[in-house]
Amino acid sequence: MDALPPLRLLAAFAAVTRTGSIQAASVELNVTQPAVSQAIKQLEAHIGVRLLDRSRRPAQPTAAGRTLALAITEGLGRIEDAVEVLRLSEADSFDAVTVACSVGVATYWLMPRVAAFYRNHPDRTVNVVTTQSGAPDLGEGVDLAIRYGRGRWTDGVVTPLFDERVEPLCAPQMRARFDGSVPPGDVPLLHVRAPETSWITWPEYLEATGLPPVAARGQTFTNYVQATQAALDGHGMMLGWRSITGALAEAGHLVPSGLPSLPTKDAFYLVARPKRPTAMADTFATWLAGSVEPAP
């Protein structure tokens, strides 16, 4: 038996977990429901574990199913990233630059700055490639990478951008329920299951700040964009990162919970390709580094 199941079976299972049901997955994949059900059964037989709890309606992923779904999402995401980088490299020009970063940093930190850059450079193009990794590679076609880490990379020219810190944040309506700080044990906590071991989790935050551990309750997501939206919708309290939730906190869409903020050991850096940087890459790198406000 092959170690890896056929891609079509993995794609069918990913669609079920992503859409929430076999019926919705069949619509997305443009196949019949029996075809999706058969694909899931074949995948379970190939792996030898049950992936869906069919006693629930609609069927929900088992613990093994959730583990596989996360792996499929990350694996397909890396393939999509590679394809996009190759596509952009073919369309590269003197007036374009390609920047790689994580989806959370792209959504909440980089894109508002790209919009500001366009106001002064309307004839230039900034391509953004999002990755599952917090330290994206300087692969073919990528001019700049925004990385989270210690800044000790040797594959490019490293420029510090800003220090990072985390602080529990929640929606204003959740904060209003408490006179003092929001007790972590009294509200759902929003968790992010990320491949990067340097990203701080709730248990690590509670231990580092001397707060008592709490039972794991609340939703779990695969990236910080999803967790941020859940916090905005009032579904729980999240660990807010300056790079992702800083602007939302400044605007009052998310508010501090009254718990301690925690500086991180790692920081954000801009890494540029060391060979033959284009004038556009130099221009955008200099502008981006100058756009960072000092930490309050």
Side-chain angles (χ1 to χ4, degrees):
M1 180 181 293
D2 296 335
L4 289 176
L7 181 58
R8 64 179 181 84
L9 303 184
L10 296 174
F13 181 68
V16 171
T17 58
R18 182 173 58 253
T19 62
S21 71
I22 291 176
Q23 179 182 11
S26 69
V27 173
E28 178 179 292
L29 298 174
N30 195 28
V31 297
T32 65
Q33 293 185 45
V36 176
S37 297
Q38 185 62 26
I40 302 303
K41 291 178 181 178
Q42 291 176 3
L43 182 60
E44 290 176 324
H46 187 105
I47 299 174
V49 297
R50 189 162 56 92
L51 300 174
L52 288 181
D53 179 2
R54 294 174 175 81
S55 66
R56 304 171 63 181
R57 292 292 182 271
Q60 296 296 311
T62 62
R66 290 192 294 271
T67 299
L68 180 61
L70 178 62
I72 295 172
T73 299
E74 293 174 355
L76 293 179
R78 289 182 182 274
I79 294 173
E80 291 175 358
D81 295 340
V83 171
E84 184 64 17
V85 166
L86 293 174
R87 182 182 295 116
L88 291 174
S89 67
E90 290 298 315
D92 193 17
S93 70
F94 181 79
D95 292 329
V97 61
T98 298
V99 187
C101 60
S102 69
V103 64
V105 171
T107 303
Y108 293 111
W109 190 86
L110 178 60
M111 293 311 297
R113 287 168 170 78
V114 170
F117 179 80
Y118 278 154
R119 286 195 288 271
N120 295 321
H121 303 83
D123 56 336
R124 305 297 176 89
T125 300
V126 179
N127 301 311
V128 179
V129 177
T130 59
T131 69
Q132 299 292 326
S133 170
D137 294 332
L138 284 171
E140 183 65 31
V142 175
D143 302 297
L144 305 169
I146 299 175
R147 293 178 178 171
Y148 177 71
R150 301 294 174 89
R152 299 170 183 168
W153 305 285
T154 59
D155 61 333
V157 180
V158 180
T159 302
L161 281 179
F162 58 91
D163 294 329
E164 183 59 283
R165 70 169 187 272
V166 296
E167 181 178 16
L169 301 174
C170 60
Q173 61 268 30
M174 178 174 288
R175 183 70 178 88
R177 290 162 42 193
F178 301 92
D179 292 331
S181 60
V182 179
D186 290 356
V187 297
L189 303 181
L190 303 176
H191 306 269
V192 177
R193 187 185 292 114
E196 295 294 326
T197 58
S198 56
W199 290 101
I200 296 174
T201 64
W202 269 109
E204 292 168 341
Y205 167 82
L206 295 173
E207 181 180 4
T209 55
L211 296 171
V214 299
R217 54 186 291 251
Q219 295 171 276
T220 298
F221 304 92
T222 58
N223 65 64
Y224 281 91
V225 173
Q226 297 167 335
T228 300
Q229 188 58 53
L232 290 167
D233 293 339
H235 295 317
M237 182 164 60
M238 73 175 297
L239 285 177
W241 294 73
R242 178 190 178 195
S243 57
I244 296 174
T245 57
L248 295 171
E250 290 178 5
H253 301 306
L254 292 173
V255 296
S257 64
L259 298 171
S261 66
L262 179 67
T264 64
K265 296 179 181 179
D266 295 343
F268 278 92
Y269 298 84
L270 185 66
V271 185
R273 295 184 70 175
K275 297 180 180 179
R276 300 188 306 276
T278 66
M280 174 58 183
D282 285 340
T283 297
F284 186 71
T286 301
W287 183 91
L288 192 64
S291 73
V292 179
E293 306 84 3

